[in-house]
Amino acid sequence: MSDYLLLGGIALCLLSIVVAVVQLLQTRPPRAAAIMLILGIAAIFAAAYLSPQPFSLEQIPQAWARLTGGATTTP
């Protein structure tokens, strides 16, 4: 469950940047982008709360591999 929340939160945060740029180019206030960013950060915090171990940057590719069934290369 924490893998879904972690990757979903990261995707929401990255997508909010694109939405903010589009909304600013259309001279509209980036309200939807702000909401997406807050939801993404909340999902990342929920994933950290539900995970039995602390998060690190190397866990992101590992979470992706666990969800897609791929293998990771860890040194």
Side-chain angles (χ1 to χ4, degrees):
M1 179 69 169
S2 65
D3 290 341
Y4 288 115
L5 287 171
L6 175 65
L7 294 176
I10 292 171
L12 276 174
C13 288
L14 292 176
L15 192 60
S16 73
I17 296 170
V18 175
V19 171
V21 170
V22 168
Q23 287 181 334
L24 287 173
L25 288 174
Q26 294 175 350
T27 63
R28 295 187 339 203
R31 292 183 187 121
I35 292 170
M36 289 175 64
L37 181 65
I38 291 170
L39 289 175
I41 291 171
I44 292 171
F45 278 124
Y49 180 74
L50 292 175
S51 179
Q53 57 190 6
F55 277 141
S56 64
L57 285 178
E58 60 193 27
Q59 284 188 333
I60 296 170
Q62 293 172 359
W64 179 259
R66 282 191 297 269
L67 289 180
T68 60
T72 60
T73 58
T74 55

